Amino acid sequence: MPVPTEELKLEIVNAATGKTLGTKAAPSTDGALVVRDFPDGGPSPARWQLTPVPAAQDGQTYVIRNADGGKVLDNPAATDRGVRQWAAAPGKKSQQWQVVPVEGEAGLYFIEGAADGTVLDLDDPGKEDTRVVLRAYDESAESQRWRFVPAEPERISDPVLRWAPLSHWNSRRSWRLDRSPALRPVPGATPAFSDMLLVLKQYGSDQDAGAWKSSGADRSPGGQPGWWAGDGARFLADTTGTGRADIVGLKPAKGAVTSSGRGDGTFDDDERALHQGAPSPSPLDLWTLVDTTGGGKPDLVVLAADGVRVSSHDDAGKFAPTGGKLALKAFGHGQQAGGWLAGKHPRFLADTTGDGRLDIIGFHDDGVWVSLQDEEGKFAPIADEPVLRAFGHSEEAGGWLAGKHPRFLADTTGDGRLDIIGFHDDGVWVSLQDEEGKFADPLYVLDDFGTERGWSSVEEHPRFLVSTTGGGAVDIVGFGPQGVVVSRGRGDGTFEPAKLVLNDFGLAQGWTGGKHLRFLADVTGDDNPDVVGFGDQGVWVSHSRGDGRFEQAQLVCRGFGYSDDAGAWRVDRHPRFLADITGDGRVDIVGFGGPGVYVARNLFRRFRTR
C-alpha cells in the first residue's frame, strides 16, 4: 500500500503478530509504546497520521502523530531502546521517521529512525503487551515489518428509518422505527443529482425494452466504458457534430442505431439507423464514433476482420457507404489484418503527434505498431517491424496481459506528443516520444500500481492518467486495495512516490470491479476531476481539492446502485455514463437499466434535492 497522506487516520499493525501499535494496557506516564490486542468493547486502538517533514529531500520522511492525543512517535535514545510517544518538538531529529517499502511485499514497510537508521522492532513478549524498541535493520526479521490500516471512511449521507416488527413472549407483535441499511443523499450534498427518471423505454435489458445485451468488449484499459464497443453495446456519442450527446446502440442485424438528444435531458422516441452493418457482421468487430480528422463531424470507425473501416458523416446525418471504406489493412481480427484480438491486443485512436488528426496505435504480441494519418485523411500502411519491441503480449516484448497490465497514451512532458505509459507487475514503465516521432526504450519510473503491490487486475483496480490540478502534468490516479492512490506527474515522464489520498472506493471499503463502477469526472465545473463511484446504495462523489487530494465521499443520488433499494444495477447488463446531456457544462448521469434509459440531472448550484 502506498504511504497515506497526512489527512488519513490509520492504525499501525505489526506484520509478525497482527497486533496494533498503542499505549500500555495498564495506565502509564512514561509514554512507552507497545503492540497489543484491542478487543471489542474495550479502548479503541490508537490512530496515527503521517505528516511529511518539509525540509526532507526524499519525500519519505515523516512525523508520526497520534491523531487523538497529538503526541508524536519519539526515540528517547534510552539504553533499553524503547520507543515512546512524546510532546512534539519541531525539527527534532529523533521524532522523524522514514517509511521504507519492503521489497516484494505489498503493503509492508520498515519504520526507520532518521536520527540513527535503526528500525521499529519488538522486544520479548510480555503478559499483555509487547514493548516496541529500536534495533538494527534485519532483512529477515518479520517483526520489523509494519502495515498501515486506514480508518473507516467518513462518508456523508442520511440514514433511512423504517418500521421494524417486534415479537413478544405472548405472540403479540408491535412495531418500532429502526435504521434501514438504505441511505439517502444528505441535504446540501455537493454536487447533488436529481432522482432517477425513466426518459426512454428503449435500449434496456428487459424484453419490452429491446433485450439489449452487451458482448463485454466495451471495456477500456482504465476500467471505464470503452473507446471501442462491441455487439449489443449502448453508449453516448455526438452523432451530428453539434456537441450534443445522443444514444447509440449496436445491433448485429441493424448496425448502428441512435436516438438523438434533445438538449433537455431527454431523447427522441424514434430509433433511427445510423449505419447499416456489413452483410455478414462479425461479433468480433469493434466500433467507435469519433472525429478522426478534426473537421468537426464524427466518423464511424470499425475494427473489422480485414482491417480498419471508416464511414464518414454525410449531410443527412448518416454514415455511408454500407460497411465502410477499408482505410487500412491492419489492426483487424482476421489473419489477413494481423490477427488482433480484443482480449490480448489493445488499440487506440489518438493524436500522437499533435497535428489534430487521430492516428492508430496498437499493442500486439511483438510490440507497438503505429499508423499515422496524413493531411488527406489517409492512414499510412504499417511498417514491416513494430516501432517499439516492448509493451507486447509475448514474453519477448514484456509479457503484457490485457487483463492485468493497462497501457495508456498521454503527454507526460508537455511537448504535445503522446508517450506510452504501462503498468506491469513491478510498477510503471514509460516510453517517451521524441520530436521525430520515435518511441524510446521504456524506462522504469515508479515501483507501484503493479500486481506485486496488490493491484491484481484491470477490472478490480482501475487506473487513470489525468491532471488532478486542472492543468499541468498528468498524474496517475488509481483505485487500489486500500482506496484512491495518486502519483503526481513531474512533467518529465516520471512521477512522484504514490500516496494514498482517500480511504474509500477501494477493495478494503467493499468496492469490487464485478459490482461497482468508478470514474473520474469533473462534476462541479471547476476543471478538476472528482471521484464518482456507483456503489451499493447509489452514486457517491468525492470532490477534488485541486491538489491531488479528495474530500470524503458524499452520497449524491439514491439510484444506479447495486442493492435492491438503489435499483439492482449490474455491471455486465446496465452500462452507466457521465455526460453533459443538457449543455450546461456539467455532467449528468445516464444509465441503461432494465426498462430503458434513466437520467439523473446534475443540480449543482441550482437547488437542493433529497
Side-chain angles (χ1 to χ4, degrees):
M1 182 188 78
V3 176
T5 57
E6 62 266 29
E7 291 88 356
L8 298 186
K9 300 174 183 178
L10 52 126
E11 298 172 15
I12 301 178
V13 179
N14 184 260
T17 63
K19 296 183 178 181
T20 305
L21 178 69
T23 56
K24 296 178 181 178
S28 173
T29 59
D30 61 2
L33 293 176
V34 298
V35 294
R36 66 184 181 93
D37 292 322
F38 288 85
D40 295 338
S44 299
R47 299 183 301 170
W48 305 85
Q49 291 173 294
L50 305 182
T51 304
V53 176
Q57 300 297 318
D58 55 12
Q60 296 286 85
T61 302
Y62 301 89
V63 172
I64 302 178
R65 187 181 309 275
N66 189 312
D68 301 311
K71 293 185 178 181
V72 300
L73 201 67
D74 182 83
N75 171 17
T79 54
D80 63 0
R81 305 300 285 153
V83 178
R84 65 180 182 177
Q85 63 172 2
W86 208 249
K92 189 176 181 181
K93 202 73 172 178
S94 64
Q95 295 181 353
Q96 297 178 9
W97 306 87
Q98 292 178 339
V99 178
V100 183
V102 177
E103 187 174 355
E105 296 286 347
L108 295 181
Y109 296 87
F110 298 105
I111 301 177
E112 180 181 289
D116 56 13
T118 55
V119 299
L120 262 61
D121 201 346
L122 301 184
D123 200 359
D124 296 331
K127 292 182 179 181
E128 294 183 341
D129 40 41
T130 304
R131 295 174 65 247
V132 179
V133 298
L134 288 166
R135 286 204 177 103
Y137 166 74
D138 181 355
E139 182 180 359
S140 62
E142 190 176 2
S143 60
Q144 294 183 357
R145 303 178 182 189
W146 302 83
R147 177 177 288 109
F148 299 131
V149 180
E152 290 295 316
E154 299 173 1
R155 297 170 179 159
I156 303 172
S157 63
D158 278 352
V160 174
L161 298 180
R162 63 179 178 182
W163 290 104
L166 282 176
S167 297
H168 301 274
W169 63 272
N170 57 3
S171 299
R172 296 185 62 184
R173 175 170 289 189
S174 61
W175 301 80
R176 69 173 180 179
L177 279 174
D178 195 11
R179 290 174 68 97
S180 165
L183 300 172
R184 62 187 176 193
V186 66
T190 306
F193 288 82
S194 71
D195 293 333
M196 287 194 316
L197 178 66
L198 180 63
V199 298
L200 187 61
K201 294 182 179 180
Q202 297 180 58
Y203 301 98
S205 58
D206 292 351
Q207 195 67 36
D208 293 341
W212 286 77
K213 183 179 180 180
S214 300
S215 66
D218 53 336
R219 286 298 190 93
S220 76
Q224 58 185 333
W227 191 253
W228 301 103
D231 282 344
R234 293 143 287 164
F235 55 93
L236 298 172
D238 177 11
T239 65
T240 60
T242 60
R244 189 165 54 218
D246 308 312
I247 294 173
V248 177
L250 304 179
K251 288 187 174 180
K254 291 187 177 181
V257 297
T258 185
S259 290
S260 299
R262 294 170 175 160
D264 61 356
T266 64
F267 301 89
D268 289 344
D269 294 331
D270 295 333
E271 179 187 286
R272 63 183 178 88
L274 266 181
H275 179 272
Q276 185 63 42
S280 300
S282 170
L284 299 178
D285 290 351
L286 298 178
W287 303 53
T288 193
L289 275 171
V290 64
D291 180 8
T292 62
T293 63
K297 289 188 176 182
D299 306 300
L300 194 149
V301 184
V302 181
L303 300 178
D306 54 355
V308 181
R309 289 186 167 271
V310 178
S311 293
S312 58
H313 185 277
D314 63 20
D315 294 335
K318 296 183 178 181
F319 297 88
T322 299
K325 177 184 177 182
L326 184 60
L328 184 64
K329 295 180 180 180
F331 300 105
H333 53 82
Q335 290 302 314
Q336 69 272 32
W340 294 73
L341 302 178
K344 293 175 62 176
H345 309 130
R347 284 151 287 177
F348 298 87
L349 278 170
D351 179 11
T352 63
T353 61
D355 63 358
R357 294 179 175 273
L358 299 187
D359 312 304
I360 304 176
I361 304 93
F363 299 85
H364 208 284
D365 292 337
D366 51 359
V368 183
W369 295 80
V370 175
S371 172
L372 299 179
Q373 187 182 178
D374 62 22
E375 295 180 357
E376 297 179 356
K378 297 180 180 180
F379 290 100
I382 61 173
D384 295 332
E385 298 288 334
V387 299
L388 184 65
R389 291 193 177 275
F391 298 104
H393 181 83
S394 69
E395 289 297 326
E396 293 77 11
W400 293 74
L401 305 179
K404 294 176 63 177
H405 307 133
R407 282 147 282 180
F408 296 88
L409 296 166
D411 181 8
T412 64
T413 61
D415 63 357
R417 292 181 173 272
L418 299 186
D419 311 304
I420 300 172
I421 303 94
F423 299 80
H424 211 285
D425 293 336
D426 52 357
V428 183
W429 292 78
V430 173
S431 173
L432 298 178
Q433 185 183 181
D434 62 22
E435 295 180 356
E436 298 179 356
K438 296 181 179 180
F439 289 97
D441 290 337
L443 294 176
Y444 181 59
V445 299
L446 190 64
D447 60 347
D448 218 316
F449 295 101
T451 60
E452 293 176 0
R453 291 292 178 185
W455 299 72
S456 59
S457 69
V458 170
E459 180 185 43
E460 205 64 67
H461 302 296
R463 279 145 278 184
F464 301 85
L465 283 168
V466 63
S467 173
T468 61
T469 59
V474 294
D475 311 312
I476 300 171
V477 182
F479 296 91
Q482 296 292 335
V484 180
V485 178
V486 172
S487 178
R488 297 288 299 275
R490 295 190 174 110
D492 60 358
T494 65
F495 297 87
E496 296 178 1
K499 301 286 186 182
L500 179 67
V501 299
L502 183 65
N503 55 336
D504 209 342
F505 300 102
L507 197 62
Q509 295 84 31
W511 293 79
T512 66
K515 294 171 60 176
H516 309 120
L517 298 175
R518 288 156 288 179
F519 303 99
L520 292 175
D522 177 14
V523 295
T524 60
D526 63 356
D527 295 328
N528 291 315
D530 309 297
V531 176
V532 184
F534 293 81
D536 289 334
Q537 297 91 1
V539 183
W540 296 82
V541 170
S542 287
H543 181 54
S544 172
R545 295 181 176 179
D547 59 357
R549 297 176 296 175
F550 299 89
E551 297 174 355
Q552 291 290 324
Q554 295 180 328
L555 182 66
V556 297
C557 181
R558 182 81 182 124
F560 302 102
Y562 184 85
S563 70
D564 291 342
D565 292 332
W569 291 69
R570 298 294 181 262
V571 169
D572 59 344
R573 298 202 302 271
H574 307 132
R576 282 150 284 178
F577 299 89
L578 297 166
D580 179 12
I581 58 174
T582 62
D584 63 359
R586 292 184 290 272
V587 294
D588 309 291
I589 303 171
V590 181
F592 296 86
V597 182
Y598 288 85
V599 167
R601 297 275 299 275
N602 190 333
L603 305 177
F604 181 53
R605 293 179 182 165
R606 293 189 181 186
F607 53 88
R608 195 165 62 189
T609 181
R610 295 294 287 246

